Amino acid sequence: MRCDEIHEHWVDLIYDEGGTAPANDEIRDHLRTCPACRDELEELTRTRKYLQAWKDESPLRSVAVARQESLLRRKSGWRYVRYGAVAAMALICFLALANTEIRLNESGFSFTTSLFSRNARESEYYTKGEIRELMKRALDDSESRVNESNYLMMQKMLDTVEQERWMDLRFVRPQRSQNNNRN
Amino acid sequence: MIETKEAVQRFLEGDEEAFSRIVLRWERKIYNLAWRMVGNREDAQDIVQETFLSVFRSIRGLRDPGSFSTWVYQITLNHCRARRRSRDSAISLSGPGPDEPGDPKPLLAMIPAEICGDSLETLDILQKALAGLSEDHRSAIVLKEYVGLSLEELAGVMECPLSTAKSRLYHGLRGVQRNLKRLGVKF
């Protein structure tokens, strides 16, 4: 094997990643007998070692930190409002599903919930006759209230007309007597 | 921490916070790749942001979340190329260029690499040695030596056959060796 042929395999020899050149033994034989190639291989290996002196370092400014900060800023604003709205919606849905009843009595507000609608007793419903009676009473009430207000309004109007008539008479009488005297 | 593949999958499914995890996992790798490609920390920082912006915009077009690493390295290298084109790097070889004749400067001539460690001077020499390489050779060296890709992965990122990737790597190493010698490093 010639020196220029062996150069093609330097990388395989230096990095030795397995599955390298099939002529490995030949290369090693050549290296044993050729001091120039041996020196070159040695120098390349030292070059690699020298390269390793350039160590990794951390970035000057972390993009990840800046991005996380911006995400946190966004979170603290509208995101929390959104979470609040979703939570409120969930609560409303739960209350609706649980048939929640909110009552105000002497001791304050009271809440009762039941997951399924309870069967109401028959006594809790009005019968048809009762509803008819209630409606009739309501209509009568409203009719009598209308009649009453009309009566009061008419009464007030008559009073006003009467009052004006008297005022006119009071004004007309002295005028007429004055005219008679002139004549 | 969840795997990149899973984070990409979650982001594609609408979990916006998964992108933060991707950034957290990848920004250091991308920063160091960019820094070694452009040789300047500020530019590297800008490239990190540009890369994540590109990733955010086009990640929905990524068919296989498993190929995210190859894809993100390609995006980073593209941004590095654009940056280097738009702005000449301030770093240049002090002394004769890699292909120019001239006497080597006696910089660190007697100090072996093992002793130099990662001092600022060593870093400066390495930046100059890499800056003297062509774009392809530099990419091959950085992806292999610093990112730690396998030869197969290297060929995948560089979108070339395995033999071409090996050739670029070999010539890259030779170029670094030559530049280091010109800068006065004794092997």
Side-chain angles (χ1 to χ4, degrees):
Chain A
M1 192 175 237
R2 295 194 317 270
C3 291
D4 58 333
E5 287 174 332
I6 199 174
H7 289 171
E8 292 172 16
H9 303 291
W10 276 150
V11 169
D12 292 326
L13 271 176
I14 293 167
Y15 292 100
D16 193 24
E17 284 190 4
T20 51
N24 232 337
D25 291 339
E26 263 186 86
I27 294 167
R28 293 189 196 283
D29 285 345
H30 178 83
L31 282 173
R32 267 193 291 273
T33 56
C34 178
C37 285
R38 210 165 47 233
D39 286 350
E40 193 180 345
L41 183 64
E42 181 67 24
E43 280 193 6
L44 287 175
T45 309
R46 283 190 180 196
T47 302
R48 282 197 66 203
K49 221 174 204 173
Y50 201 98
L51 281 168
Q52 295 310 315
W54 191 345
K55 302 288 183 199
D56 277 5
E57 65 174 43
S58 296
L60 301 176
R61 297 175 295 279
S62 174
V63 179
V65 171
R67 192 177 152 71
Q68 276 179 342
E69 278 172 1
S70 77
L71 276 171
L72 279 174
R73 271 200 300 276
R74 281 174 59 194
K75 263 187 189 174
S76 63
W78 282 106
R79 186 164 281 198
Y80 287 131
V81 173
R82 255 181 8 214
Y83 288 155
V86 170
M89 288 281 286
L91 183 67
I92 289 167
C93 287
F94 171 76
L95 291 176
L97 282 170
N99 295 300
T100 308
E101 285 179 22
I102 303 170
R103 288 201 187 93
L104 178 63
N105 46 33
E106 292 99 15
S107 56
F109 283 102
S110 69
F111 295 84
T112 53
T113 58
S114 60
L115 201 52
F116 302 103
S117 58
R118 62 199 164 89
N119 294 321
R121 287 187 300 276
E122 219 169 276
S123 59
E124 288 179 359
Y125 290 102
Y126 287 108
T127 60
K128 268 185 189 172
E130 284 171 336
I131 290 170
R132 218 173 280 138
E133 186 61 34
L134 276 170
M135 284 182 74
K136 191 167 172 271
R137 213 182 299 159
L139 283 170
D140 288 351
D141 278 357
S142 81
E143 201 179 335
S144 64
R145 234 176 278 133
V146 167
N147 288 340
E148 197 178 335
S149 68
N150 285 348
Y151 173 76
L152 285 170
M153 203 169 67
M154 292 285 285
Q155 198 67 40
K156 205 174 176 183
M157 217 165 75
L158 285 171
D159 286 351
T160 311
V161 169
E162 186 67 16
Q163 208 174 353
E164 281 181 359
R165 200 168 68 84
W166 276 106
M167 288 284 283
D168 287 348
L169 283 173
R170 235 182 273 160
F171 178 72
V172 170
R173 267 182 202 157
Q175 284 255 332
R176 198 181 285 168
S177 61
Q178 271 180 9
N179 289 343
N180 289 339
N181 289 339
R182 261 183 224 162
N183 293 330
Chain B
M1 190 183 278
I2 59 166
E3 289 297 317
T4 302
K5 192 177 170 181
E6 196 186 330
V8 172
Q9 195 64 51
R10 281 193 195 176
F11 180 70
L12 293 175
E13 286 164 6
D15 179 3
E16 207 180 307
E17 280 185 44
F19 193 78
S20 295
R21 288 188 210 110
I22 297 170
V23 173
L24 203 64
R25 199 177 177 86
W26 280 87
E27 70 174 341
R28 191 182 160 95
K29 288 179 192 175
I30 291 171
Y31 172 79
N32 283 293
L33 168 60
W35 180 32
R36 280 153 183 153
M37 285 302 294
V38 295
N40 177 305
R41 289 183 178 89
E42 280 296 332
D43 283 347
Q45 187 67 53
D46 290 346
I47 289 166
V48 172
Q49 290 180 12
E50 286 163 11
T51 301
F52 281 119
L53 195 62
S54 300
V55 168
F56 189 82
R57 279 177 183 157
S58 46
I59 196 167
R60 293 189 196 285
L62 184 68
R63 285 179 192 168
D64 175 21
S67 65
F68 180 82
S69 60
T70 304
W71 182 67
V72 83
Y73 287 138
Q74 284 172 343
I75 291 175
T76 311
L77 290 178
N78 285 340
H79 282 297
C80 292
R81 267 181 223 118
R83 175 71 51 154
R84 273 171 69 118
R85 266 200 302 270
S86 69
R87 176 175 158 180
D88 279 342
S89 178
I91 297 161
S92 61
L93 283 167
S94 61
D99 300 323
E100 298 166 18
D103 295 328
K105 292 186 81 179
L107 187 66
L108 291 179
M110 306 308 290
I111 307 172
E114 291 86 341
I115 297 169
C116 286
D118 57 350
S119 69
L120 288 173
E121 210 169 5
T122 313
L123 189 62
D124 187 46
I125 292 167
L126 280 170
Q127 285 185 345
K128 286 172 179 171
L130 280 169
L133 301 180
S134 71
E135 194 72 46
D136 285 341
H137 293 170
R138 188 183 174 112
S139 304
I141 290 289
V142 172
L143 289 169
K144 182 68 194 157
E145 293 294 340
Y146 297 112
V147 178
L149 298 185
S150 69
L151 292 170
E152 293 271 356
E153 288 168 334
L154 178 66
V157 173
M158 298 191 81
E159 290 179 301
C160 64
L162 184 60
S163 58
T164 310
K166 284 181 183 177
S167 168
R168 285 175 183 173
L169 193 54
Y170 170 68
H171 289 291
L173 270 180
R174 287 293 303 272
V176 173
Q177 178 197 19
R178 207 164 41 234
N179 292 342
L180 287 174
K181 278 184 179 173
R182 284 179 199 284
L183 287 162
V185 176
K186 203 173 179 184
F187 284 89

Short mmCIF file of all heavy atoms in Angstrom, two decimals, chain B residues 133-164:
data_model
loop_
_atom_site.label_atom_id
_atom_site.label_comp_id
_atom_site.label_asym_id
_atom_site.label_seq_id
_atom_site.Cartn_x
_atom_site.Cartn_y
_atom_site.Cartn_z
N LEU B 133 -9.98 28.12 7.58
CA LEU B 133 -10.51 26.99 6.78
C LEU B 133 -11.65 27.43 5.87
O LEU B 133 -12.29 28.46 6.12
CB LEU B 133 -11.05 25.90 7.72
CG LEU B 133 -10.10 25.26 8.72
CD1 LEU B 133 -10.86 24.21 9.52
CD2 LEU B 133 -8.91 24.63 8.01
N SER B 134 -11.89 26.63 4.85
CA SER B 134 -13.06 26.90 3.99
C SER B 134 -14.32 26.56 4.78
O SER B 134 -14.26 25.86 5.80
CB SER B 134 -12.99 26.04 2.73
OG SER B 134 -13.24 24.70 3.07
N GLU B 135 -15.46 27.03 4.31
CA GLU B 135 -16.74 26.83 5.00
C GLU B 135 -17.02 25.34 5.24
O GLU B 135 -17.40 24.94 6.36
CB GLU B 135 -17.85 27.44 4.13
CG GLU B 135 -19.17 27.61 4.82
CD GLU B 135 -19.13 28.73 5.84
OE1 GLU B 135 -18.62 29.82 5.53
OE2 GLU B 135 -19.61 28.49 6.96
N ASP B 136 -16.84 24.52 4.22
CA ASP B 136 -17.14 23.09 4.33
C ASP B 136 -16.21 22.39 5.31
O ASP B 136 -16.65 21.56 6.12
CB ASP B 136 -17.05 22.41 2.96
CG ASP B 136 -18.24 22.74 2.08
OD1 ASP B 136 -19.27 23.17 2.63
OD2 ASP B 136 -18.13 22.59 0.85
N HIS B 137 -14.92 22.71 5.21
CA HIS B 137 -13.96 22.05 6.10
C HIS B 137 -14.20 22.46 7.56
O HIS B 137 -14.15 21.63 8.47
CB HIS B 137 -12.53 22.41 5.68
CG HIS B 137 -12.15 21.85 4.34
ND1 HIS B 137 -11.01 22.19 3.67
CD2 HIS B 137 -12.79 20.95 3.53
CE1 HIS B 137 -10.95 21.54 2.52
NE2 HIS B 137 -12.04 20.78 2.41
N ARG B 138 -14.49 23.71 7.73
CA ARG B 138 -14.76 24.22 9.09
C ARG B 138 -16.01 23.56 9.66
O ARG B 138 -16.03 23.13 10.82
CB ARG B 138 -14.94 25.74 9.01
CG ARG B 138 -15.03 26.42 10.36
CD ARG B 138 -15.28 27.90 10.17
NE ARG B 138 -15.52 28.55 11.44
CZ ARG B 138 -14.70 29.42 12.01
NH1 ARG B 138 -13.59 29.76 11.41
NH2 ARG B 138 -14.97 29.95 13.18
N SER B 139 -17.07 23.49 8.84
CA SER B 139 -18.31 22.84 9.31
C SER B 139 -18.05 21.40 9.72
O SER B 139 -18.53 20.94 10.77
CB SER B 139 -19.38 22.85 8.21
OG SER B 139 -19.62 24.14 7.78
N ALA B 140 -17.27 20.69 8.89
CA ALA B 140 -16.99 19.28 9.18
C ALA B 140 -16.24 19.15 10.51
O ALA B 140 -16.60 18.31 11.35
CB ALA B 140 -16.17 18.67 8.04
N ILE B 141 -15.25 20.00 10.71
CA ILE B 141 -14.46 19.93 11.96
C ILE B 141 -15.34 20.25 13.17
O ILE B 141 -15.33 19.53 14.17
CB ILE B 141 -13.27 20.92 11.89
CG1 ILE B 141 -12.24 20.46 10.87
CG2 ILE B 141 -12.63 21.11 13.26
CD1 ILE B 141 -11.46 19.23 11.28
N VAL B 142 -16.12 21.31 13.06
CA VAL B 142 -16.93 21.74 14.21
C VAL B 142 -17.98 20.68 14.55
O VAL B 142 -18.18 20.33 15.72
CB VAL B 142 -17.59 23.12 13.93
CG1 VAL B 142 -18.59 23.46 15.02
CG2 VAL B 142 -16.53 24.20 13.84
N LEU B 143 -18.65 20.17 13.52
CA LEU B 143 -19.71 19.17 13.77
C LEU B 143 -19.14 17.87 14.35
O LEU B 143 -19.77 17.23 15.18
CB LEU B 143 -20.48 18.87 12.48
CG LEU B 143 -21.39 20.00 11.97
CD1 LEU B 143 -21.88 19.71 10.57
CD2 LEU B 143 -22.57 20.22 12.91
N LYS B 144 -17.96 17.51 13.90
CA LYS B 144 -17.39 16.25 14.38
C LYS B 144 -16.71 16.42 15.73
O LYS B 144 -16.96 15.66 16.67
CB LYS B 144 -16.37 15.73 13.33
CG LYS B 144 -15.74 14.41 13.67
CD LYS B 144 -16.75 13.30 13.60
CE LYS B 144 -16.20 12.04 14.26
NZ LYS B 144 -17.24 11.15 14.70
N GLU B 145 -15.85 17.43 15.84
CA GLU B 145 -15.03 17.57 17.04
C GLU B 145 -15.77 18.18 18.22
O GLU B 145 -15.51 17.84 19.36
CB GLU B 145 -13.79 18.43 16.73
CG GLU B 145 -12.81 17.78 15.77
CD GLU B 145 -12.15 16.53 16.34
OE1 GLU B 145 -12.13 16.36 17.57
OE2 GLU B 145 -11.67 15.71 15.54
N TYR B 146 -16.66 19.11 17.94
CA TYR B 146 -17.31 19.83 19.05
C TYR B 146 -18.75 19.38 19.29
O TYR B 146 -19.17 19.25 20.42
CB TYR B 146 -17.26 21.34 18.80
CG TYR B 146 -15.85 21.87 18.75
CD1 TYR B 146 -15.29 22.34 17.57
CD2 TYR B 146 -15.05 21.86 19.89
CE1 TYR B 146 -13.99 22.82 17.52
CE2 TYR B 146 -13.74 22.33 19.85
CZ TYR B 146 -13.22 22.81 18.67
OH TYR B 146 -11.93 23.26 18.63
N VAL B 147 -19.49 19.17 18.20
CA VAL B 147 -20.89 18.73 18.39
C VAL B 147 -20.91 17.23 18.69
O VAL B 147 -21.78 16.74 19.39
CB VAL B 147 -21.74 19.07 17.13
CG1 VAL B 147 -23.16 18.58 17.29
CG2 VAL B 147 -21.73 20.57 16.88
N GLY B 148 -19.92 16.51 18.16
CA GLY B 148 -19.80 15.09 18.46
C GLY B 148 -20.65 14.19 17.59
O GLY B 148 -21.07 13.11 18.02
N LEU B 149 -20.91 14.62 16.36
CA LEU B 149 -21.71 13.77 15.47
C LEU B 149 -20.88 12.59 14.97
O LEU B 149 -19.65 12.67 14.89
CB LEU B 149 -22.18 14.59 14.26
CG LEU B 149 -23.09 15.80 14.50
CD1 LEU B 149 -23.55 16.38 13.16
CD2 LEU B 149 -24.29 15.43 15.33
N SER B 150 -21.58 11.51 14.63
CA SER B 150 -20.89 10.38 14.00
C SER B 150 -20.63 10.76 12.54
O SER B 150 -21.18 11.75 12.03
CB SER B 150 -21.77 9.14 14.08
OG SER B 150 -22.89 9.31 13.25
N LEU B 151 -19.82 9.95 11.86
CA LEU B 151 -19.51 10.25 10.45
C LEU B 151 -20.79 10.22 9.60
O LEU B 151 -20.97 11.05 8.70
CB LEU B 151 -18.48 9.27 9.91
CG LEU B 151 -17.07 9.40 10.53
CD1 LEU B 151 -16.19 8.23 10.13
CD2 LEU B 151 -16.42 10.72 10.12
N GLU B 152 -21.66 9.27 9.91
CA GLU B 152 -22.93 9.15 9.18
C GLU B 152 -23.78 10.41 9.39
O GLU B 152 -24.35 10.96 8.44
CB GLU B 152 -23.73 7.94 9.67
CG GLU B 152 -23.11 6.59 9.36
CD GLU B 152 -23.56 6.05 8.02
OE1 GLU B 152 -24.42 6.69 7.39
OE2 GLU B 152 -23.04 4.99 7.61
N GLU B 153 -23.89 10.82 10.65
CA GLU B 153 -24.68 12.02 10.97
C GLU B 153 -24.08 13.27 10.31
O GLU B 153 -24.80 14.14 9.82
CB GLU B 153 -24.74 12.23 12.49
CG GLU B 153 -25.61 11.22 13.20
CD GLU B 153 -25.44 11.24 14.71
OE1 GLU B 153 -24.34 11.64 15.19
OE2 GLU B 153 -26.37 10.84 15.42
N LEU B 154 -22.75 13.31 10.29
CA LEU B 154 -22.05 14.43 9.67
C LEU B 154 -22.43 14.52 8.19
O LEU B 154 -22.76 15.61 7.68
CB LEU B 154 -20.54 14.23 9.82
CG LEU B 154 -19.64 15.28 9.19
CD1 LEU B 154 -19.80 16.62 9.88
CD2 LEU B 154 -18.18 14.84 9.28
N ALA B 155 -22.42 13.37 7.52
CA ALA B 155 -22.79 13.34 6.10
C ALA B 155 -24.24 13.79 5.92
O ALA B 155 -24.57 14.50 4.96
CB ALA B 155 -22.60 11.94 5.54
N GLY B 156 -25.10 13.39 6.89
CA GLY B 156 -26.52 13.77 6.83
C GLY B 156 -26.71 15.27 6.95
O GLY B 156 -27.45 15.88 6.19
N VAL B 157 -26.02 15.88 7.92
CA VAL B 157 -26.17 17.33 8.13
C VAL B 157 -25.59 18.10 6.94
O VAL B 157 -26.15 19.09 6.48
CB VAL B 157 -25.48 17.77 9.45
CG1 VAL B 157 -25.47 19.28 9.59
CG2 VAL B 157 -26.18 17.15 10.64
N MET B 158 -24.45 17.61 6.42
CA MET B 158 -23.81 18.32 5.31
C MET B 158 -24.42 17.96 3.95
O MET B 158 -24.01 18.50 2.93
CB MET B 158 -22.31 18.04 5.31
CG MET B 158 -21.64 18.52 6.59
SD MET B 158 -19.86 18.51 6.52
CE MET B 158 -19.55 20.01 5.65
N GLU B 159 -25.36 17.05 3.99
CA GLU B 159 -26.07 16.61 2.77
C GLU B 159 -25.09 16.22 1.66
O GLU B 159 -25.13 16.77 0.56
CB GLU B 159 -27.00 17.72 2.29
CG GLU B 159 -28.18 17.91 3.22
CD GLU B 159 -29.12 19.03 2.77
OE1 GLU B 159 -28.64 20.17 2.66
OE2 GLU B 159 -30.30 18.74 2.54
N CYS B 160 -24.21 15.31 2.02
CA CYS B 160 -23.23 14.83 1.03
C CYS B 160 -22.97 13.34 1.30
O CYS B 160 -23.32 12.84 2.36
CB CYS B 160 -21.94 15.64 1.15
SG CYS B 160 -21.10 15.44 2.71
N PRO B 161 -22.35 12.64 0.35
CA PRO B 161 -22.04 11.22 0.60
C PRO B 161 -21.03 11.08 1.74
O PRO B 161 -20.28 12.02 2.04
CB PRO B 161 -21.42 10.76 -0.73
CG PRO B 161 -21.77 11.78 -1.73
CD PRO B 161 -21.97 13.07 -1.00
N LEU B 162 -21.02 9.90 2.34
CA LEU B 162 -20.12 9.64 3.48
C LEU B 162 -18.67 9.88 3.10
O LEU B 162 -17.90 10.46 3.88
CB LEU B 162 -20.33 8.19 3.94
CG LEU B 162 -19.56 7.75 5.18
CD1 LEU B 162 -19.93 8.59 6.38
CD2 LEU B 162 -19.81 6.27 5.46
N SER B 163 -18.30 9.46 1.89
CA SER B 163 -16.90 9.63 1.47
C SER B 163 -16.53 11.11 1.39
O SER B 163 -15.43 11.50 1.77
CB SER B 163 -16.68 8.95 0.12
OG SER B 163 -17.56 9.51 -0.83
N THR B 164 -17.47 11.94 0.93
CA THR B 164 -17.21 13.39 0.86
C THR B 164 -17.06 13.97 2.25
O THR B 164 -16.19 14.81 2.49
CB THR B 164 -18.38 14.09 0.12
OG1 THR B 164 -18.63 13.40 -1.08
CG2 THR B 164 -18.07 15.54 -0.18
#
